[in-house]
Amino acid sequence: MWETRSVQLSVRLPRDIADQAEEVQEQDPEFLSRVVLYGLTRRSIYRHLRENDQEDSIELDGLQATP
């Protein structure tokens, strides 16, 4: 499917959420990996859409300025 590699992440979480994250990491590390992948994928899609929207706005501004 994809070429993958391991990374080390360090995050600061509220204590109760940190406890839950540690528990999930011990019980089902693959799930936690999928959650992080999901979040990063959503962020990537959002950035892509935002950049395209900005490019479209610039193009529209250029068209409106032309008589």
Side-chain angles (χ1 to χ4, degrees):
M1 187 169 148
W2 293 337
E3 184 177 331
T4 63
R5 67 182 182 97
S6 295
V7 296
Q8 287 292 93
L9 298 175
S10 177
V11 295
R12 297 184 60 79
L13 301 169
R15 189 173 307 273
D16 58 334
I17 295 174
D19 292 341
Q20 291 177 32
E22 288 175 336
E23 183 179 324
V24 169
Q25 179 64 26
E26 290 173 8
Q27 294 178 358
D28 191 358
E30 183 62 28
F31 174 77
L32 195 54
S33 178
R34 290 191 311 266
V35 168
V36 171
L37 177 60
Y38 172 78
L40 292 173
T41 300
R42 283 183 55 110
R43 182 177 187 264
S44 176
I45 292 169
Y46 172 78
R47 290 174 89 186
H48 176 75
L49 292 173
R50 187 180 65 201
E51 289 169 4
N52 284 346
D53 186 46
Q54 288 173 350
E55 290 172 7
D56 290 346
S57 293
I58 291 169
E59 289 177 13
L60 287 176
D61 287 342
L63 291 174
Q64 291 171 352
T66 305

